Amino acid sequence: MNILSDYVTDTLEPLGIGVGAFLVLAALGTIAGAPWATHAAITSAVVQVLGSVLMAILGLGLIYVSWAGGE
């Protein structure tokens, strides 16, 4: 048919990769915003950075599962 439909075996694979990439980029953007410089209490900054790191791990896991799941 076309290059994309010949390569992609699962129709949700591009969606999983796209959402995973979005999660990673959003996590990097949150960390780049330096939450430790804008929060009054360090506790809230730590929670935000921890959540961003977990979001990046989730995004990378989603990319991995989406990309390698069909094999």
Side-chain angles (χ1 to χ4, degrees):
M1 298 177 78
N2 63 25
I3 294 172
L4 184 61
S5 65
D6 290 341
Y7 171 72
V8 177
T9 57
D10 184 12
T11 56
L12 292 178
E13 181 179 350
L15 181 65
I17 293 171
V19 169
F22 174 75
L23 288 174
V24 171
L25 290 175
L28 291 176
T30 301
I31 292 173
W36 51 87
T38 58
H39 288 287
I42 192 67
T43 308
S44 60
V46 169
V47 169
Q48 188 173 3
V49 170
L50 182 63
S52 297
V53 169
L54 291 175
M55 183 169 62
I57 291 170
L58 180 71
L60 290 172
L62 182 59
I63 291 172
Y64 176 75
V65 167
S66 297
W67 216 333
E71 296 177 27

